[in-house]
Amino acid sequence: MGAAEDALIGPEDDNFHPPSNHPWETETCWYAFCVPERNLMGYLYTWIRPNLGIAGGGTLVWDDTAYLPWEVPFFDYNHSIPLPEGLDLRDATLPTGMRVKVIEPLTSYELGYRYPYGDMFEAELRFDALTPPHVFTRGEPPFTIASHIDQPGRVTGRIRLHGTDIDVDCCAMRDRSWGPRSDLQGFRIGYAFATTSSQSAFLCYSLPKPDSDPINAGYYLRDGVRADIVSGERRVERDPDHGYATAFEIEAVDELGRELRATGTPVSRIIFNPYPKMLTWVSTTAWDFDGGTGWGEDQDCWRPDQWSAYRRSLRQ
């Protein structure tokens, strides 16, 4: 992150931002983790709408045994939970049950979760950043009306899933967004990333179209030097019957002229509906790039009506 980005973000961004009068003003807090040898991935995710006085989100864990939310190993996702007063995102148990505590601003966080209705799932994790946050300011594509950061890190700790303790030690992603996010609007977007270390990673945002999938934002980290991606293409192979992704290819160029070539192999997936107009296929993916393999994701986001039309086309 250069000097210009340093000026855009600071320790205060770990907490709530100055309020607006927009009814859909939203703060989000997302952490991912994975256990590659089990083809397992999970999210701790909370969204908060201060002006409506509600929160939602939750915790989900999936592997290669199922992809429907009601069949994956764990899924607890909620909407419209009353928002308690005095909440501080720097040290809080959020209404979704997710816990977050800042150890070092914009760098290290303690995370936790425990399901309140039985011994189905709990987590005690720590996120330590591998790079400074990558910042999208409000008005910068693809975040035209909100501010957003993405940050790769190392996630360590333990989860307990249906009575089995599982160690976690992986590279994964966190993000934060703040700004209006309406439940009445949807969009089509691709979000792919992988991280091998503090020296090697990528993140690509794309805007899928019927005949192409151009990459319009993201970053490329190679040999410890990170630069914004300025152009590229995401290509997806899909199951002919169900439509979900079975393979990925990414070709992109960053502002330094470096070329990224990555191929992704999904090992597990989940489809879920985090917002009413957002239907997301999330693929846990092994990405081959820069001579190595990094674990990450591909998020294939649709409006539900777009997905329905696509599925109907497969049946014709």
Side-chain angles (χ1 to χ4, degrees):
M1 184 169 66
E5 284 185 298
D6 285 334
L8 298 175
I9 192 168
E12 66 277 4
D13 289 296
D14 279 324
N15 201 8
F16 286 107
H17 293 82
S20 74
N21 59 6
H22 199 293
W24 292 108
E25 191 72 22
T26 304
E27 298 257 358
T28 72
C29 184
W30 171 65
Y31 293 85
F33 62 89
C34 66
V35 185
E37 61 270 23
R38 292 175 176 262
N39 294 335
L40 181 147
M41 193 161 201
Y43 284 176
L44 303 177
Y45 178 57
T46 296
W47 53 262
I48 296 170
R49 291 188 167 131
N51 293 341
L52 297 179
I54 59 173
T59 299
L60 42 153
V61 179
W62 67 94
D63 58 17
D64 55 5
T65 62
Y67 61 78
L68 297 174
W70 47 89
E71 295 180 2
V72 298
F74 184 75
F75 189 89
D76 178 32
Y77 200 89
N78 301 281
H79 292 268
S80 302
I81 307 172
L83 188 63
E85 295 183 1
L87 198 64
D88 187 326
L89 295 180
R90 296 166 295 186
D91 187 0
T93 297
L94 301 171
T96 56
M98 171 184 171
R99 301 192 312 278
V100 60
K101 181 178 181 180
V102 176
I103 303 170
E104 182 180 349
L106 301 175
T107 303
S108 297
Y109 303 85
E110 289 182 359
L111 309 168
Y113 174 87
R114 189 177 189 282
Y115 188 56
Y117 303 112
D119 189 25
M120 293 181 66
F121 182 74
E122 62 181 85
E124 295 292 339
L125 301 170
R126 173 172 169 142
F127 176 98
D128 291 291
L130 292 171
T131 73
H134 183 268
V135 181
F136 291 93
T137 57
R138 190 170 303 200
E140 181 181 1
F143 298 95
T144 55
I145 60 173
S147 299
H148 181 91
I149 63 171
D150 296 285
Q151 187 172 33
R154 183 183 178 195
V155 180
T156 55
R158 176 194 66 89
I159 62 172
R160 185 172 180 83
L161 181 63
H162 301 297
T164 299
D165 290 330
I166 302 172
D167 292 332
V168 175
D169 188 350
C170 67
C171 292
M173 186 72 80
R174 83 173 186 105
D175 77 11
R176 286 268 285 126
S177 296
W178 55 96
R181 180 179 290 195
S182 172
D183 278 350
L184 305 179
Q185 296 177 342
F187 50 85
R188 181 85 172 89
I189 195 169
Y191 177 84
F193 69 85
T195 307
T196 60
S197 69
S198 61
Q199 302 295 301
S200 178
F202 74 85
L203 166 69
C204 295
Y205 287 88
S206 67
L207 296 174
K209 301 176 182 179
D211 57 351
S212 65
D213 194 350
I215 294 168
N216 72 330
Y219 63 75
Y220 184 23
L221 175 69
R222 191 170 81 189
D223 299 327
V225 177
R226 188 174 70 189
D228 286 351
I229 287 175
V230 295
S231 65
E233 183 81 13
R234 168 181 173 261
R235 291 186 285 272
V236 182
E237 294 183 13
R238 298 184 180 277
D239 181 272
D241 298 319
H242 299 93
Y244 54 68
T246 58
F248 305 101
E249 289 185 2
I250 284 177
E251 294 185 0
V253 178
D254 71 12
E255 60 189 354
L256 301 179
R258 301 177 302 179
E259 295 183 355
L260 166 66
R261 296 179 182 274
T263 58
T265 303
V267 299
S268 61
R269 59 183 59 83
I270 185 174
I271 184 169
F272 82 113
N273 200 184
Y275 299 94
K277 295 293 190 296
M278 183 178 180
L279 188 69
T280 305
W281 279 102
V282 183
S283 297
T284 313
T285 303
W287 287 96
D288 293 322
F289 67 105
D290 290 351
T293 299
W295 289 89
E297 300 180 32
D298 182 275
Q299 297 182 16
D300 194 30
C301 302
W302 304 66
R303 285 199 325 263
D305 64 293
Q306 292 172 326
W307 177 255
S308 176
Y310 173 63
R311 288 288 285 119
R312 290 196 305 273
S313 74
L314 296 181
R315 294 191 290 266
Q316 292 177 354

